[in-house]
Amino acid sequence: MRETPRPQDSAGDPKSEPPQPCLGRALAHSTGASGSGTPHRSDGRSPQTPRGARWSDPAGCFGTVPPVPRQPALAVFGLRARLFAALGLLLLFAVLTWQVVVDGPLRSLDERVESAIVGRGPRPLTEFLADLGNLAVALPVLAAAVAYVLWRGGRARRADALCAVLAMAAVPALVVPLKALTDRPGPLTEATGYFPSGHAATALVAYGGAALLLGRVRWAMPAALVLTLATGIGLVLRGYHWPLDVLGSWLLCGALLLVLSVAGPAVSSSGRRRSSGRTRTG
């Protein structure tokens, strides 16, 4: 029995005729009457989102995704990374404390540096910078940030505000015993109890804590760093503290802020879990 031979055309063989439109079938790229066969781009159709209402990226290109909100300060670092950073700061602080107590090479270098720079700079300016570490100046800044967070942040930010207050309360609890332990005399006096610096610690916790609470404000953290650094410079130039006194306070209180930046979200999430559990059981 003979079979009728079938055409052996392949997909790559040239065709003698162009493809013909089929009537009664929707043509996505045709205009006018059905089967007119005039292709066109879809740019002529009105977009679902008007181009003028779209957000643009930093390069000026339009897109349909709105800009991502800026993350709070330290949010880019994980909780574990912050804890390891705090541990590193505490280890450095322990090394500085050991050098101060045993009159090591770092303490000798510290005293030579202070002798070379003490009294430098205009007295009114350096006095003003040193006063930035006074409680009367720094504490109202932190109090204003706490009040703002309690007013605008809602229940989720109460734990952060509480941690900032606890950090400020922890400053004398940490600094005063360490001053008695090291018993270091000041640069221009025989009185002792200058390591670590209480003014430098107050400035870092007050201004740094306020910046963490106002983390979504772009200028908050740079301003806190400038104020803290300015306070340390004023204390050293006026001869109120040795450079290591200031550096030790920065290391100790920097670790304190890092730990509390971890504790705040942990307390908030724990409170939310308890609240949701009570809601389900109720």
Side-chain angles (χ1 to χ4, degrees):
M1 181 176 180
R2 301 180 59 185
E3 296 182 358
T4 304
R6 297 180 181 179
Q8 302 297 319
D9 295 341
S10 64
D13 293 339
K15 301 294 183 180
S16 58
E17 295 180 356
Q20 300 297 320
C22 298
L23 298 179
R25 183 176 298 177
L27 297 178
H29 297 285
S30 63
T31 59
S34 175
S36 62
T38 306
H40 74 286
R41 295 176 58 86
S42 59
D43 295 345
R45 294 179 296 177
S46 60
Q48 295 178 353
T49 303
R51 183 171 294 272
R54 300 182 186 180
W55 297 90
S56 61
D57 62 7
C61 301
F62 286 99
T64 58
V65 180
V68 178
R70 187 171 181 269
Q71 291 182 325
L74 297 182
V76 294
F77 302 103
L79 300 183
R80 184 175 299 180
R82 278 179 264 175
L83 289 177
F84 276 114
L87 180 60
L89 294 180
L90 289 177
L91 290 176
L92 290 176
F93 175 76
V95 171
L96 289 188
T97 305
W98 168 64
Q99 285 290 294
V100 168
V101 171
V102 302
D103 199 7
L106 285 180
R107 176 169 174 169
S108 301
L109 176 62
D110 182 47
E111 293 175 353
R112 290 197 301 270
V113 170
E114 175 66 14
S115 300
I117 64 176
V118 65
R120 299 286 184 90
R123 182 185 179 90
L125 176 60
T126 55
E127 192 76 33
F128 170 77
L129 296 180
D131 288 341
L132 293 175
N134 289 339
L135 277 175
V137 179
L139 192 57
V141 176
L142 179 62
V146 170
Y148 177 81
V149 167
L150 293 178
W151 174 47
R152 297 293 300 272
R155 182 178 300 178
R157 299 298 309 278
R158 291 178 184 175
D160 296 336
L162 176 61
C163 287
V165 173
L166 291 177
M168 194 73 252
V171 169
L174 293 173
V175 170
V176 172
L178 287 169
K179 284 178 176 289
L181 175 65
T182 56
D183 199 33
R184 187 183 191 186
L188 303 178
T189 179
E190 294 298 324
T192 59
Y194 279 78
F195 179 89
S197 168
H199 284 72
T202 299
L204 176 59
V205 173
Y207 302 134
L212 291 177
L213 292 177
L214 305 176
R216 296 186 183 277
V217 179
R218 189 177 300 273
W219 50 265
M221 187 55 70
L225 294 176
V226 169
L227 291 173
T228 302
L229 181 62
T231 303
I233 292 174
L235 292 171
V236 171
L237 293 181
R238 289 304 310 140
Y240 296 147
H241 279 285
W242 306 98
L244 285 187
D245 300 346
V246 174
L247 182 58
S249 292
W250 288 348
L251 293 175
L252 177 63
C253 294
L256 176 64
L257 286 180
L258 285 173
V259 171
L260 292 178
S261 72
V262 174
V267 172
S268 298
S269 61
S270 177
R272 286 194 295 268
R273 286 195 299 268
R274 288 197 300 267
S275 177
S276 61
R278 287 195 300 266
T279 302
R280 286 194 297 269
T281 56

